[in-house]
Amino acid sequence: MNLQENNNITNAHIIYLSKVKPSKFNPRKTFRDADLTELAESIKAQGVLQPIMVRPQGNEYEIVYGERRYRAAILAGLEIIPALVRDLTDDTAMEYALTENVQRQDVSPIEEATAYKILVENNHYDMNTLMVKFGKSESYIRSRMRLNALAEPFKELLLKDDISLSVALELCKYSPEVQEDIFADHYQADNYYNWLKKTSKEVVGLIEKNYSTDLNEYFFDKSKCYDCGYNTEKHNLFAEGNGCGKCLQTSCLKAKNTAYIVERAKEFVEKNPELPLSVTNLNVCKDAVDMLTEQEYVITELNYCRECPVPPTAPEQESYETEEEYNEAMGEYAESVIDYQSESAELCDQYKEGKITMYANIGTKGVRLGYMFNNTSNEVKETPLVKLTKQDARFKEIEQEKVIADTKELVKGLNPTVGDFSLLEERIMYFAMLKQLRHDHIELLGISPQYSYGLTDTERMQVLSNLTEEQKTVIRRDFIQNTLREAFRNGITEGLLMEFANQHAPEGVTEIKAKHAEVYDKRHARITEKIEAIQAEQVQTEPETVAEQPAQEDNPFAD
């Protein structure tokens, strides 16, 4: 392209490409090689038909818009390029760059989303001015702006067209931590549970099944949930506005539910200090139990706990179409009230007679009044001494759990690149690989597994102590085959974790143990004082021979 040809472009200057630098405001971050090559071939044949815009920056020029033409011109071997030179402020240059690039046909949804966000935040645009500026509908612009909440790994997949726009719009409804979990579980390369080829409808169903929870199932105050962006009702065009949809932010829901359980448990204890707290499934409400234990509430673990009857709810007349249906419901309600009163009275009598023990039982979503039948022939009522001893044991467990948790974080940050591969590390490696051993190879190890689905952790530890070279070869090959066939997660037991950490970061382990031991020692000292006081009191007041008397519970409902 010669100067004469370029002068045909009205109002354009001719500048050297060597003095041009890309824009820092360009929302476009990706340029397809094939598209640039095609444009470069066109420029070789016809020249640059539309000038780029630049602004002076000292002895150079910064691109305002036209970076794609600039890149293609360099690829075509040009030394000069037509340009509109404008002396612009940062704000004006940014607005030019964003608006010009957003209006191009090949702009990506992510680049659009970024541009709209910057225009709103920095250039005082609102929805109406954006609609007028770009000739787009409100729903179109809102859907693009929602993509700013999409996690970076999903943005990359959308830019590469590995996921559709409709799938991306569904994913960005979820909190960052949920998106990270979904990506790790279902979108990592070569993942066995890959969702890349699924439609948006299929993805919505799978996400709601695995990563969301119905708010109606929870009893904590949900007033702040109604307007939360992670409530599915906010994305439902046909919602009636009651706010009780599904929660898409599991960490927030879990924290609110835990706080609610803790407060309910405290209320039970405050109203009746003699009513013991209990739990039948520690795994599903462990955070609440740990929080209460750390506040020195005593919690009894039970194998089961029967729920006490709850008063029935009276029917509401507006819920029934006819007076006859309402009267029928009221009749059933009256019968339910009689049954409730009868059952409650019977339980109260059994409690007074010492036949049952009442508990405030901690569950997955709250605390309910429950009871257990007393087996007076072989069950001994827990004395304060027994309760304190159990509480001390639980504090010791908490200390160990925290040591393990902190040690995991310590190991996660290690980069042990120095030194030979140790025997311990080899044991851990085979321990992990044994989880992938084919079932028909287990006989080669000389053991009969306890379960049909494979080896337990204990059995794997036993196998490690006496592996032959032949067995090691089988284990390694099975591991390789499984790794190539599908992705999987493995883990190591706490004992191996501690050994590994001690080998590579003994000072860190010592520090962790000391930190949590200090907390336990203080709690242990307080409990020891209480135990000694009880024992001293028993020595002073206990007669030489005492006839055993059946334990008698106080009535938790007594004034």
Side-chain angles (χ1 to χ4, degrees):
M1 181 170 59
N2 56 46
L3 286 177
Q4 184 62 41
E5 292 172 329
N6 278 287
N7 284 331
N8 292 330
I9 303 176
T10 309
N11 298 326
H13 292 72
I14 303 302
I15 60 177
Y16 286 98
L17 284 166
S18 60
K19 290 185 174 293
V20 178
K21 61 181 181 180
S23 168
K24 59 186 176 184
F25 303 121
N26 191 356
R28 176 175 292 187
K29 303 303 179 186
T30 57
F31 298 86
R32 297 177 185 273
D33 291 341
D35 293 344
L36 286 177
T37 300
E38 183 180 348
L39 181 58
E41 291 300 321
S42 174
I43 289 174
K44 286 179 182 179
Q46 304 179 57
V48 180
L49 300 180
Q50 184 179 359
I52 65 173
M53 180 179 281
V54 298
R55 63 172 182 158
Q57 296 280 287
N59 295 325
E60 296 180 320
Y61 298 94
E62 181 185 69
I63 297 174
V64 177
Y65 60 72
E67 185 173 340
R68 182 167 169 268
R69 278 162 278 162
Y70 158 77
R71 288 171 177 256
I74 294 176
L75 196 60
L78 301 188
E79 294 183 355
I80 56 177
I81 191 169
L84 301 174
V85 181
R86 300 286 186 268
D87 192 7
L88 305 174
T89 64
D90 280 357
D91 285 347
T92 306
M94 178 191 298
E95 187 171 352
Y96 267 114
L98 295 171
T99 56
E100 200 276 343
N101 276 286
V102 165
Q103 294 180 84
R104 299 192 67 84
Q105 290 184 347
D106 59 347
V107 66
S108 76
I110 293 296
E111 291 164 346
E112 272 190 286
T114 303
Y116 292 145
K117 180 182 179 183
I118 296 173
L119 286 171
V120 169
E121 291 178 349
N122 298 340
N123 293 78
H124 310 295
Y125 277 71
D126 58 19
M127 182 57 65
N128 289 330
T129 52
L130 286 176
M131 291 165 60
V132 172
K133 181 75 175 178
F134 299 106
K136 305 290 186 182
S137 68
E138 180 177 353
S139 61
Y140 178 92
I141 293 175
R142 286 195 185 280
S143 70
R144 290 299 185 272
M145 291 187 71
R146 276 167 47 199
L147 292 173
N148 289 302
L150 197 63
E152 286 302 323
F154 286 123
K155 287 182 179 179
E156 294 178 13
L157 291 180
L158 181 59
L159 285 170
K160 294 187 295 184
D161 293 328
D162 285 341
I163 59 173
S164 67
L165 176 60
S166 57
V167 168
L169 288 171
E170 293 299 334
L171 289 166
C172 67
K173 295 176 184 177
Y174 290 78
S175 63
E177 60 264 30
V178 172
Q179 288 191 53
E180 289 173 9
D181 288 343
I182 294 172
F183 181 81
D185 294 341
H186 306 291
Y187 284 92
Q188 292 273 34
D190 301 324
N191 195 308
Y192 181 77
Y193 301 103
N194 200 288
W195 290 1
L196 278 176
K197 304 300 180 183
K198 297 190 181 299
T199 65
S200 60
K201 185 177 180 180
E202 290 172 329
V203 169
V204 168
L206 289 166
I207 292 177
E208 287 190 355
K209 178 181 178 182
N210 294 284
Y211 297 94
S212 66
T213 309
D214 194 341
L215 285 167
N216 285 307
E217 297 178 0
Y218 289 82
F219 306 108
F220 58 79
D221 180 8
K222 295 187 280 287
S223 56
K224 292 184 179 179
C225 300
Y226 296 159
D227 296 321
C228 177
Y230 295 115
N231 184 345
T232 55
E233 288 293 281
K234 294 289 289 183
H235 308 288
N236 183 358
L237 296 176
F238 306 101
E240 297 179 357
N242 64 1
C244 281
K246 289 190 173 184
C247 177
L248 308 180
Q249 192 177 29
T250 52
S251 59
C252 176
L253 181 139
K254 184 178 179 181
K256 286 183 176 180
N257 187 53
T258 296
Y260 171 77
I261 292 172
V262 169
E263 288 307 310
R264 287 288 292 147
K266 289 181 178 179
E267 287 175 13
F268 266 98
V269 174
E270 184 178 347
K271 289 177 181 178
N272 197 316
E274 298 301 318
L275 192 66
L277 290 172
S278 66
V279 61
T280 53
N281 192 345
L282 181 60
N283 292 330
V284 296
C285 48
K286 187 174 182 299
D287 289 346
V289 171
D290 284 350
M291 196 176 294
L292 287 163
T293 304
E294 291 203 6
Q295 296 176 34
E296 302 196 7
Y297 285 87
V298 178
I299 300 173
T300 303
E301 289 190 51
L302 304 174
N303 293 326
Y304 73 95
C305 186
R306 300 173 185 268
E307 287 190 354
C308 290
V310 294
T313 303
E316 298 179 356
Q317 188 164 7
E318 56 268 24
S319 301
Y320 298 88
E321 294 183 1
T322 65
E323 188 72 22
E324 182 181 355
E325 290 177 349
Y326 172 67
N327 289 335
E328 183 179 347
M330 283 298 295
E332 293 175 354
Y333 168 68
E335 292 178 5
S336 299
V337 170
I338 294 173
D339 290 341
Y340 164 72
Q341 292 173 341
S342 174
E343 289 180 40
S344 297
E346 183 179 353
L347 285 176
C348 194
D349 289 341
Q350 289 177 326
Y351 177 79
K352 292 176 181 178
E353 295 168 6
K355 293 180 179 179
I356 62 172
T357 300
M358 306 293 295
Y359 293 96
N361 194 48
I362 300 169
T364 57
K365 299 182 179 71
V367 183
R368 291 281 301 274
L369 197 63
Y371 66 95
M372 280 185 64
F373 285 103
N374 294 328
N375 185 357
T376 54
S377 61
N378 55 19
E379 250 186 38
V380 179
K381 182 179 180 295
E382 276 194 354
T383 64
L385 190 64
V386 172
K387 289 181 179 179
L388 287 171
T389 303
K390 284 188 174 181
Q391 187 179 14
D392 186 45
R394 180 60 191 142
F395 284 154
K396 189 64 181 175
E397 288 176 358
I398 290 175
E399 177 206 11
Q400 181 62 14
E401 288 168 3
K402 291 185 178 295
V403 168
I404 291 296
D406 286 1
T407 305
K408 285 180 178 178
E409 291 300 314
L410 174 68
V411 169
K412 190 186 297 184
L414 286 177
N415 186 21
T417 57
V418 180
D420 296 332
F421 199 70
S422 68
L423 291 175
L424 169 62
E425 289 167 325
E426 183 176 333
R427 286 176 61 225
I428 296 173
M429 181 185 71
Y430 279 106
F431 179 85
M433 289 193 294
L434 274 167
K435 201 172 185 69
Q436 302 302 312
L437 187 70
R438 281 170 45 179
H439 193 272
D440 56 344
H441 285 168
I442 292 179
E443 291 184 5
L444 298 176
L445 302 178
I447 66 170
S448 298
Q450 182 179 358
Y451 300 105
S452 60
Y453 56 78
L455 300 174
T456 64
D457 284 357
T458 301
E459 288 169 340
R460 284 193 284 159
M461 287 297 292
Q462 292 172 350
V463 168
L464 290 180
S465 62
N466 196 28
L467 281 178
T468 66
E469 289 302 319
E470 180 184 358
Q471 291 169 337
K472 288 180 180 179
T473 301
V474 171
I475 294 169
R476 290 196 297 263
R477 284 177 177 163
D478 278 5
F479 176 80
I480 291 171
Q481 286 177 318
N482 277 282
T483 301
L484 293 176
R485 189 173 70 245
E486 61 181 277
F488 64 91
R489 294 180 177 180
N490 57 35
I492 61 175
T493 62
E494 294 176 354
L496 288 173
L497 169 75
M498 297 305 298
E499 287 187 64
F500 182 77
N502 272 314
Q503 184 180 86
H504 293 286
E507 293 179 358
V509 173
T510 301
E511 183 179 343
I512 288 171
K513 287 184 175 181
K515 179 178 68 174
H516 295 296
E518 182 180 357
V519 175
Y520 168 72
D521 288 343
K522 290 178 180 178
R523 291 172 172 171
H524 177 68
R526 290 198 296 271
I527 285 181
T528 300
E529 290 177 6
K530 294 176 183 178
I531 290 174
E532 291 175 350
I534 290 174
Q535 290 173 334
E537 184 178 350
Q538 288 176 344
V539 170
Q540 293 174 2
T541 60
E542 193 174 67
E544 292 184 5
T545 58
V546 180
E548 288 191 7
Q549 300 293 330
Q552 184 74 21
E553 281 281 348
D554 293 330
N555 186 346
F557 306 106
D559 294 332

